[in-house]
Amino acid sequence: MRSSATARSYRTDNVERRVIALVTQHSGIYMFREKQYDTYTAQSNIHFDVRLDVDDAEELMDEFFTEFNTARGNFKLETYYPDVPISWNPFQKHIVDIPIFTIGMLIESAKAGKWLYK
């Protein structure tokens, strides 16, 4: 018989592996990229490391909330994928601050059963 601490640790590890597997599946890594399945960690940034565009990220998050029975709360994809103004002036630069969006955020939210971030 497992102790409650061991069972809790198993569930935690299982959630982490399942979230990383879901992200990996949506990244297309198994088909189009040279990286291996174990490349992503909780610290991996969905925008910069996983390199999901807004459409792929939307699909991922829809499946994430369903698969892990996690309440969306105040989650808005636009927070993590803001619109970047387009300028025809090559000397005018627009700097857009993109908030951190990591696999770890999905893992912690899945464990909590609700989106934990603003």
Side-chain angles (χ1 to χ4, degrees):
M1 179 179 251
R2 292 186 194 177
S3 71
S4 63
T6 303
R8 192 171 35 254
S9 174
Y10 173 76
R11 282 193 306 270
T12 299
D13 291 346
N14 190 35
V15 168
E16 185 171 336
R17 280 195 299 270
R18 287 176 53 214
V19 168
I20 291 172
L22 179 66
V23 171
T24 301
Q25 177 186 358
H26 280 270
S27 73
I29 210 168
Y30 59 95
M31 293 173 59
F32 304 112
R33 297 193 183 149
E34 296 175 10
K35 295 181 181 179
Q36 300 298 315
Y37 275 104
D38 61 354
T39 300
Y40 300 131
T41 65
Q43 292 77 31
S44 297
N45 186 299
I46 292 172
H47 187 80
F48 298 109
D49 298 326
V50 183
R51 297 182 181 203
L52 294 184
D53 65 21
V54 69
D55 294 331
D56 292 335
E58 183 175 29
E59 266 184 39
L60 166 67
M61 294 310 293
D62 287 344
E63 189 170 341
F64 166 78
F65 288 119
T66 302
E67 175 78 21
F68 292 93
N69 196 25
T70 303
R72 283 183 176 269
N74 60 359
F75 176 80
K76 291 182 178 72
L77 191 60
E78 299 81 26
T79 301
Y80 306 102
Y81 285 83
D83 285 331
V84 178
I86 297 174
S87 172
W88 296 105
N89 182 346
F91 300 105
Q92 182 180 15
K93 295 186 182 196
H94 295 280
I95 298 174
V96 176
D97 187 26
I98 300 174
I100 294 171
F101 187 34
T102 66
I103 294 174
M105 294 167 71
L106 276 67
I107 293 167
E108 293 306 312
S109 294
K111 291 177 191 175
K114 64 180 179 180
W115 186 252
L116 299 172
Y117 306 91
K118 293 185 178 192

